[in-house]
Amino acid sequence: MSKTSVIKIGGSLVSESAYSNVINDLKESGLKDFIIVHGGGNEVTKYSKALGKDVVFVTSPEGIRSRYTDLETAAIYNMVMRKISSDLVLSLNARGFRAIGLSGIDAGLMKAERKKRLIIVDERGRKRAIEGGYTGKVKEVDSDLLLKIIGLGITPVISPVALGYDGEMLNVDGDRAASAVASALNAERLIVFTNVDGVIINGRVKERMNLKEAREVLKAVGPGMDKKLIACIEAVEGGAKEGVIASGKVERPINNAINGLRTVVEGQ
Amino acid sequence: MKAKCKECGADIEVPDDALPGEIVSCPDCGLEYEVVSITHGKVELKLAEDVGEDWGE
């Protein structure tokens, strides 16, 4: 088990540049070994529209809506993710950290299997298989490389862009990418920041769950939160000590994610 | 249009306006098939791939 914390900064925080609280608190909390994985789907949509590129979303039979990533969208996606990464690196470095922006394609840090086909619900409400575009599922993370970078006192900021096995660039889900990183490092914890206090069941934040309980509530949580919960479950199953879902909008987000009101998914 | 399930032999009903890629399932065993082509009222099916949920940002 490494002492590393993997911190996922979700798209809702990136869009509002609300992550400064998180970065300020990283300094305050004294957390040393950490890796940031960011999202930013909303920003990709914003820039795609600005560039005149139609944004197409498809819906899975499970009701999850996702961006359809064709080759042009993949290029825009990569550009926007690099920008978000640079903004985070600037922000970290301005506070005395030594951060470096990386994506999965750099030195093959994160490899993913491309989804060659997707099953969607089409406009007639029927299930259909379509060409998969450039999305994938993370299969490998180079944990040695990450540990060496951390060992140099440098903080990796990882974009959810992966290297496909045919050498292509792939859009991967940021929550699941963070989970894969936390698993590969047997991390101390995965913290998934979002804009709510945690997993809310019957109007209250569920503060602790084991893996079985977390799987049981998966269907009861709303869209978006289910992906975060799955990320925590997979991180713990993959070797991380705990997965935490917490608000990035509170005054001291890191301290709160470790000691305050949040949801913790832990092993048995 | 009808097709036979390769697994259990049951009749699978395929809508007349089905499009290539459409997923149909066997009413008896639940196995899912993808429509490959429809030519002169004859439908060709193949087993649908199991595609998990994880489609990127």
Side-chain angles (χ1 to χ4, degrees):
Chain A
M1 179 88 53
S2 77
K3 287 281 173 205
T4 309
S5 292
V6 177
I7 298 167
K8 164 72 199 314
I9 295 183
S12 58
L13 298 181
V14 169
S15 298
E16 298 162 25
S17 290
Y19 53 76
S20 55
N21 261 6
V22 174
I23 294 175
N24 284 336
D25 199 30
L26 278 166
K27 203 76 189 168
E28 287 278 314
S29 67
L31 207 62
K32 282 198 168 52
D33 294 347
F34 64 91
I35 290 172
I36 289 178
V37 180
H38 67 83
N42 294 342
E43 292 290 290
V44 176
T45 302
K46 189 176 93 183
Y47 282 96
S48 295
K49 286 179 180 168
L51 289 166
K53 172 70 185 168
D54 285 339
V55 180
V56 178
F57 285 93
V58 288
T59 306
S60 76
E62 290 76 25
I64 295 177
R65 199 164 163 267
S66 302
R67 175 188 321 281
Y68 186 72
T69 308
D70 61 12
L71 201 53
E72 276 187 338
T73 303
I76 296 169
Y77 179 88
N78 187 47
M79 285 191 284
V80 175
M81 289 300 172
R82 290 285 178 163
K83 180 195 178 295
I84 294 170
S85 167
S86 298
D87 289 344
L88 279 162
V89 167
L90 284 168
S91 192
L92 283 158
N93 290 350
R95 287 163 177 84
F97 292 101
R98 289 178 73 210
I100 184 170
L102 295 167
S103 82
I105 61 176
D106 296 313
L109 173 66
M110 194 159 62
K111 291 184 181 153
E113 193 173 76
R114 183 177 167 198
K115 297 270 182 201
K116 291 185 175 144
R117 304 281 276 167
L118 299 180
I119 307 279
I120 63 157
V121 177
D122 70 12
E123 58 283 359
R124 301 170 306 162
R126 294 195 199 154
K127 280 165 78 174
R128 227 167 102 200
I130 61 168
E131 285 301 311
Y134 291 84
T135 58
K137 184 176 173 63
V138 177
K139 294 287 180 189
E140 290 176 63
V141 174
D142 188 342
S143 55
D144 286 345
L145 177 59
L146 288 174
L147 289 171
K148 279 177 186 151
I149 293 170
I150 292 170
L152 293 169
I154 296 173
T155 299
V157 175
I158 303 174
S159 302
V161 179
L163 179 66
Y165 288 103
D166 292 325
E168 70 276 52
M169 183 173 66
L170 298 175
N171 166 4
V172 293
D173 177 63
D175 293 328
R176 308 287 278 276
S179 172
V181 171
S183 296
L185 292 171
N186 292 325
E188 176 79 13
R189 66 177 69 82
L190 165 67
I191 301 174
V192 182
F193 279 121
T194 183
N195 54 0
V196 293
D197 288 328
V199 176
I200 296 166
I201 307 286
N202 298 326
R204 296 184 65 178
V205 174
K206 177 84 175 158
E207 293 203 45
R208 283 195 177 270
M209 282 188 262
N210 61 29
L211 289 171
K212 186 168 171 282
E213 289 168 321
R215 286 216 175 270
E216 280 168 4
V217 301
L218 258 183
K219 288 229 182 284
V221 301
M225 184 56 82
D226 53 358
K227 275 191 185 181
K228 297 180 193 317
L229 195 50
I230 290 171
C232 286
I233 292 169
E234 289 181 352
V236 173
E237 285 176 345
K241 193 172 164 194
E242 61 183 30
V244 179
I245 299 172
S247 172
K249 293 193 164 177
V250 295
E251 200 176 334
R252 293 203 53 200
I254 298 290
N255 186 50
N256 179 67
I258 296 171
N259 304 307
L261 182 65
R262 80 290 197 215
T263 297
V264 179
V265 177
E266 55 199 352
Q268 301 306 323
Chain B
M1 288 176 288
K2 281 191 167 58
K4 285 271 181 222
C5 175
K6 288 172 189 162
E7 188 67 25
C8 71
D11 282 335
I12 300 170
E13 193 67 48
V14 180
D16 288 339
D17 61 349
L19 296 169
E22 196 154 322
I23 305 294
V24 292
S25 56
C26 171
D28 284 5
C29 70
L31 203 60
E32 291 198 317
Y33 291 89
E34 180 183 332
V35 175
V36 178
S37 63
I38 299 171
T39 325
H40 306 304
K42 231 184 141 186
V43 61
E44 187 190 343
L45 301 179
K46 68 171 184 181
L47 279 178
E49 291 169 44
D50 185 21
V51 180
E53 188 77 62
D54 199 353
W55 294 355
E57 278 287 312

